């Protein structure tokens, strides 16, 4: 098998482009970008729809908060539905009622949107939940697991299997050098030379 330098270069550039797209898709999925949830109103007239707009920013639309006199009100996140088991995600204390229908929350306490699936307003002094939202993808689907495999050599009879789907791909070559394999969100890119 003989390849010119131009062919190899074009193959490598194409592979890098595919992997770059896969990494961007993986980052968006990992960071929960676009995920949203409706705030439950447990106290103080809290309401709105929370949306993850970047790894370090949440936006609440239709935001309402009628009472903010409780001490030590902060936005919290949790890896589960139990906000009480969570952690502070923003160091900005909530001290005022809603002044506009939109609120941006800066995630400035060392956490990103990848660190939680529930967000809510929590009174740290009295351990009271003012309301929370479970974040989910807009289409209601579950995120897809991702994997990346390193370069190597495969024999003609070796089968490359995508574990999540169970599909097999066989190559009828005596041997080939796999320059790279990337599998992200259901897509597989393989560069074989």
């Amino acid at each position: 098998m003989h390849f010119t330098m131009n062919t190899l270069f074009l193959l490598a550039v194409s592979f890098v482009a595919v992997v770059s797209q896969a990494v961007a898709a993986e980052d968006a999925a990992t960071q929960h970008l676009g995920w949203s949830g409706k705030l439950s109103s447990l106290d103080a007239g809290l309401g709105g729809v929370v949306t993850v707009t970047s790894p370090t920013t949440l936006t609440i639309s239709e935001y309402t908060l009628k009472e903010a006199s409780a001490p030590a009100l902060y936005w919290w996140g949790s890896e589960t539905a139990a906000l009480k088991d969570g952690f502070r995600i923003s160091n900005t204390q909530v001290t005022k009622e809603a002044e506009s229908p939109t609120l941006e929350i800066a995630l400035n306490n060392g956490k990103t949107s990848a660190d939680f699936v529930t967000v809510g307003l929590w009174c740290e002094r009295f351990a009271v939940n003012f309301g929370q939202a479970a974040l989910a993808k807009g289409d209601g689907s579950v995120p897809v697991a991702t994997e990346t495999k390193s370069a190597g050599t495969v024999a003609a009879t070796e089968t490359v299997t995508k574990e999540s789907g169970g599909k097999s791909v066989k190559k009828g070559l005596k041997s080939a050098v796999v320059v790279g394999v990337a599998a992200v969100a259901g897509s597989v890119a393989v560069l074989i030379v």
Side-chain angles (χ1 to χ4, degrees):
M1 192 180 318
H2 178 70
F3 291 102
T4 66
M5 288 302 279
N6 284 341
T7 303
L8 289 174
F9 177 76
L10 290 174
L11 285 171
V13 168
S14 298
F15 183 74
V16 168
V18 169
V19 170
S20 295
Q21 289 176 345
V23 168
E26 178 181 10
D27 187 49
T30 303
Q31 292 295 333
H32 307 154
L33 298 181
W35 287 28
S36 63
K38 185 175 171 95
L39 283 165
S40 61
S41 183
L42 301 175
D43 205 350
L46 177 65
V49 176
V50 180
T51 303
V52 178
T53 51
S54 83
T56 58
T57 307
L58 303 177
T59 301
I60 303 179
S61 57
E62 303 171 28
Y63 175 59
T64 61
L65 181 61
K66 296 177 182 171
E67 176 63 45
S69 63
L73 277 178
Y74 291 94
W75 291 102
W76 272 39
S78 178
E79 296 173 347
T80 68
L83 192 61
K84 68 180 178 63
D85 295 333
F87 41 82
R88 188 190 296 184
I89 57 174
S90 177
N91 285 323
T92 306
Q93 185 175 355
V94 178
T95 59
K96 297 179 183 177
E97 295 82 21
E99 295 176 342
S100 88
T102 304
L103 175 69
E104 283 200 358
I105 302 168
L107 306 180
N108 56 13
N109 196 35
K111 301 290 185 180
T112 70
S113 56
D115 296 321
F116 54 88
V117 295
T118 300
V119 64
L121 189 57
W122 185 259
C123 176
E124 292 180 359
R125 184 166 181 192
F126 298 115
V128 175
N129 184 350
F130 278 60
Q132 68 185 49
L135 300 175
K137 290 176 104 174
D139 61 4
S141 64
V142 177
V144 176
T146 62
E147 68 177 273
T148 301
K149 294 187 178 184
S150 60
T153 302
V154 293
T157 57
E158 188 172 343
T159 301
V160 179
T161 305
K162 183 180 159 216
E163 292 186 20
S164 62
K167 295 179 183 175
S168 298
V169 178
K170 291 187 179 181
K171 295 292 175 189
L173 304 172
K174 287 189 176 180
S175 69
V177 176
V178 177
V179 176
V181 176
V184 177
S187 300
V188 178
V190 180
L191 177 59
I192 299 176
V193 180

